[in-house]
Amino acid sequence: MLSDAVPERFGLMLLCSLIGLFGGGIRAALRKDPQINPVRDVMTQAAASGFAAFLAAAIMLDRLDSQRQYLMLFVSGIVGWAGASVLDTAARLVTNWIDRYIQKLDNGDDPKPPASGGTNT
Amino acid sequence: MISSHFQVVLLLLVVATTTAGFLSCLILYRYTKFRGSRTRPLAMRCVYQWGMAFFMGVSILSIDWAMGDKAPLQITPLSEESGRIGFANLALCWGLLCLSGFMVQRVVRVIVRPTATPEGWQLQHARTVDTAARRDGQVGETPAKLRIAR
């Protein structure tokens, strides 16, 4: 019987991480703002939320009674969704900061226009 | 009898395959939206959408089935079905549900947003031809355009 080989904890962790992965992936697909690379965007979001849900399931299995399976599944889904949101916000903050930094460097390197009324002697 | 280790490998293979299918459908769904085309790619979005739902359901069902008596949902393999709901039946029902959902969505989309699908365009064209024929008093006859061509 397969259930003898697949322990309860392993099955629950796999189930929770997959639910997180699905949740994060659906969230990435339904976002309104256009992304430059949809493949990388969707894969990153799904993987991050799956990992967040996996960690949440591992912590809950350690702390809670294993009979509370439905609570674990629900919390893992929420944590997966929130993990994707946090990653999204962090990525946006970092890219905005990089954009501002590059813009600042560009402005610093630009030659200043000559002052009006000057003579070219 | 298949050994337990082989069954675990088989389960992980099923999970990996369904996850890859889910992610593929997800990317294609996102990509068609990204392109913003009004023709066939946009009409294919519901295929990817219901494909995602199908792979997601099968993946969750397979893990639940593998967990046996400790699973959140009490799903049993086909060989052990004795009054309880079986994995094979449930997976088949889920597949049929996704297929019917896809078909219903296509029909609803053609009716509600005819300009968004090729089928909707054909429907609109047929209506235009029919309206023109009625206006000319040629209901049920060959449209004027075709008669001239003849």
Side-chain angles (χ1 to χ4, degrees):
Chain A
M1 179 64 195
L2 190 58
S3 56
D4 299 334
V6 179
E8 184 190 354
R9 291 170 71 90
F10 174 73
L12 258 181
M13 281 171 76
L14 200 61
L15 199 56
C16 288
S17 52
L18 268 182
I19 286 172
L21 184 137
F22 295 141
I26 288 169
R27 186 190 170 279
L30 295 178
R31 275 192 312 174
K32 297 286 182 193
D33 54 332
Q35 296 293 315
I36 295 167
N37 189 341
V39 178
R40 196 171 57 192
D41 181 46
V42 164
M43 294 290 271
T44 313
Q45 293 266 320
S49 69
F51 185 63
F54 177 82
L55 283 180
I59 291 167
M60 279 188 291
L61 273 170
D62 205 37
R63 307 269 170 168
L64 293 178
D65 183 15
S66 62
Q67 295 297 318
R68 297 182 175 178
Q69 292 169 330
Y70 297 106
L71 180 69
M72 287 182 198
L73 291 174
F74 179 74
V75 173
S76 292
I78 297 288
V79 167
W81 192 274
S85 298
V86 168
L87 176 88
D88 205 19
T89 311
R92 192 165 295 158
L93 283 174
V94 170
T95 48
N96 284 348
W97 181 80
I98 290 170
D99 285 345
R100 278 201 306 274
Y101 187 72
I102 289 170
Q103 204 173 7
K104 195 176 162 186
L105 284 180
D106 285 348
N107 288 338
D109 290 345
D110 279 346
K112 287 180 181 174
S116 59
T119 53
N120 293 326
T121 53
Chain B
M1 185 69 186
I2 308 169
S3 71
S4 298
H5 293 295
F6 183 71
Q7 284 182 331
V8 173
V9 171
L10 208 63
L11 170 74
L12 292 177
L13 203 66
V14 167
V15 172
T17 310
T18 47
T19 307
F22 170 79
L23 287 173
S24 306
C25 285
L26 196 71
I27 288 163
L28 287 168
Y29 179 82
R30 180 78 175 145
Y31 186 61
T32 47
K33 188 180 178 185
F34 186 66
R35 286 178 66 183
S37 173
R38 292 173 65 82
T39 54
R40 185 57 70 183
L42 190 62
M44 286 293 283
R45 269 168 70 81
C46 52
V47 177
Y48 306 136
Q49 192 178 328
W50 286 101
M52 276 193 284
F54 174 72
F55 285 124
M56 191 167 69
V58 168
S59 188
I60 288 172
L61 285 181
S62 60
I63 297 173
D64 198 281
W65 161 71
M67 287 172 72
D69 294 334
K70 304 285 179 60
L73 300 172
Q74 292 297 314
I75 301 170
T76 55
L78 191 64
S79 58
E80 296 181 10
E81 284 175 23
S82 55
R84 292 198 295 178
I85 191 159
F87 173 71
N89 296 338
L90 208 57
L92 186 67
C93 287
W94 181 247
L96 289 175
L97 193 73
C98 289
L99 192 66
S100 57
F102 155 69
M103 286 173 170
V104 168
Q105 193 182 357
R106 290 289 290 145
V107 171
V108 168
R109 200 175 175 83
V110 167
I111 292 167
V112 175
R113 293 180 62 193
T115 53
T117 52
E119 291 83 358
W121 291 344
Q122 287 168 9
L123 189 71
Q124 276 197 330
H125 178 68
R127 275 183 187 160
T128 311
V129 169
D130 187 53
T131 309
R134 280 176 190 280
R135 195 175 55 224
D136 294 345
Q138 295 160 346
V139 182
E141 292 182 12
T142 313
K145 204 173 174 182
L146 288 178
R147 276 196 288 117
I148 291 164
R150 222 181 264 168

